Amino acid sequence: AAAAYARHDFSSSLAFDEVEGSVATYSSDGKLFAIASAHKVEVYDATCEPYALRGSIVKNGASALYFSPSSTYLAVYQKQTSSGATKDEKNLTIWNVSDLSMAHEVFQRQFLKAEWPYFQFSDDDAVCIRCVTNEIQIIRPAQGFDKLTRLRVPSVAVAKISPGTTPRLACFVPEIKGAPGSVRIYEIVEHTQEGVVENPQPVARKSFFRVSEVDLMWSPIGNAVLILGSSEVDATNKSYYGETALHYLKADGSFEGQVPLSKEGPVHDAQWSPLG
């Protein structure tokens, strides 16, 4: 193996000597590559050497790119600046990878790297979700991106779709007026009708105080979620850096609890094993 490593030519197969890119990404299977320059986004076939240009999208100042899991769609975000999207231009666009035609476009005023991509797709690209003010939108792209199931979840801060053959969504609602914060899991298959769902019933729920932010980490098969919660202030005064806790919640609601740790102290990160 070491000899093969030494013989391998690690020089770029892209031949991008004349291309300046601000951001780039691969599809999840490594077969496609997208790169954004000042005035366009180019999509390449990465299965051959050198990479073959499949097409380009004219977009100024793209600063974030994302391929959906099955490479059906490409999301492109542009900052609304003098070198990016104009004030009246919808700056978050979804493109069909097959022919690079536009599938959908919306305004996205705020961009947070931790929340990207704003359209999250299921493994087969059949469903996607989008978290907006006080609601989570469920979209089935084959029926059109404008046909929405809108789950009303007041004050929802973040949502994340699960991997797996039966995708679910988990969301976080922070503490409000003395009520505890909570992470809730909803079954996407239960919500197929277009329109507003005023009081969606979660199949699983975990409530807690003293948590202002969470990182939701689905297991690789989507049967449970880890919740890394944090707050800026440690109510016990044991830590200057605030308080953290790691919780486990099964997707069907059959079990929830705090993950026991070998010693006291902050939790900086957590990861699932590949098999979940």
Side-chain angles (χ1 to χ4, degrees):
Y5 181 91
R7 291 195 305 268
H8 186 80
D9 181 7
F10 286 98
S11 61
S12 172
S13 62
L14 284 165
F16 271 167
D17 295 340
E18 299 178 2
V19 176
E20 293 184 2
S22 57
V23 64
T25 189
Y26 279 95
S27 60
S28 58
D29 60 8
K31 294 181 179 180
L32 295 172
F33 178 81
I35 184 168
S37 55
H39 303 295
K40 61 184 176 180
V41 176
E42 294 179 322
V43 178
Y44 288 81
D45 180 352
T47 62
C48 55
E49 294 191 15
Y51 291 2
L53 179 65
R54 290 186 52 158
S56 61
I57 300 165
V58 178
K59 281 291 174 185
N60 292 332
S63 56
L65 305 172
Y66 164 74
F67 281 107
S68 60
S70 291
S71 304
T72 310
Y73 303 101
L74 173 66
V76 178
Y77 171 79
Q78 304 163 269
K79 293 180 180 179
Q80 289 187 310
T81 63
S82 58
S83 60
T86 63
K87 181 180 179 181
D88 299 324
E89 182 182 0
K90 294 179 179 179
N91 60 322
L92 175 54
T93 50
I94 309 294
W95 300 81
N96 295 300
V97 172
S98 59
D99 59 3
L100 293 185
S101 61
M102 186 186 294
H104 193 53
E105 58 179 347
V106 296
F107 287 107
Q108 182 66 45
R109 300 300 186 190
Q110 184 182 33
F111 181 88
L112 296 174
K113 187 176 180 180
E115 296 178 2
W116 177 255
Y118 287 101
F119 285 84
Q120 302 174 42
F121 290 82
S122 59
D123 285 349
D124 60 2
D125 291 353
V127 178
C128 76
I129 67 167
R130 184 184 182 215
C131 185
V132 297
T133 304
N134 294 323
E135 73 177 35
I136 303 165
Q137 300 173 349
I138 300 174
I139 305 162
R140 291 171 172 83
Q143 301 173 13
F145 279 86
D146 292 324
K147 297 184 181 298
L148 310 174
T149 301
R150 300 164 57 191
L151 306 187
R152 295 289 293 173
V153 184
S155 302
V156 62
V158 65
K160 196 165 186 178
I161 196 169
S162 76
T165 56
T166 305
R168 304 173 173 92
L169 69 87
C171 70
F172 170 61
V173 177
E175 293 181 41
I176 304 171
K177 298 179 180 179
S182 64
V183 168
R184 310 167 191 181
I185 296 178
Y186 297 95
E187 291 281 5
I188 291 177
V189 295
E190 293 181 358
H191 303 285
T192 58
Q193 298 298 314
E194 184 179 355
V196 178
V197 181
E198 287 291 350
N199 188 30
Q201 296 302 305
V203 294
R205 183 177 184 137
K206 171 66 180 174
S207 299
F208 29 56
F209 288 100
R210 303 200 310 270
V211 171
S212 56
E213 295 181 358
V214 301
D215 187 4
L216 301 172
M217 295 167 281
W218 279 104
S219 71
I221 57 176
N223 65 343
V225 65
L226 285 174
I227 306 161
L228 179 54
S230 62
S231 62
E232 294 182 355
V233 178
D234 183 357
T236 66
N237 292 320
K238 292 181 179 180
S239 173
Y240 175 80
Y241 300 101
E243 188 175 0
T244 61
L246 185 64
H247 301 271
Y248 174 91
L249 178 61
K250 290 207 70 172
D252 60 4
S254 60
F255 180 81
E256 58 87 7
Q258 188 166 344
V259 177
L261 304 176
S262 59
K263 63 178 181 178
E264 289 190 15
V267 180
H268 299 289
D269 194 12
Q271 295 291 326
W272 287 93
S273 67
L275 299 180

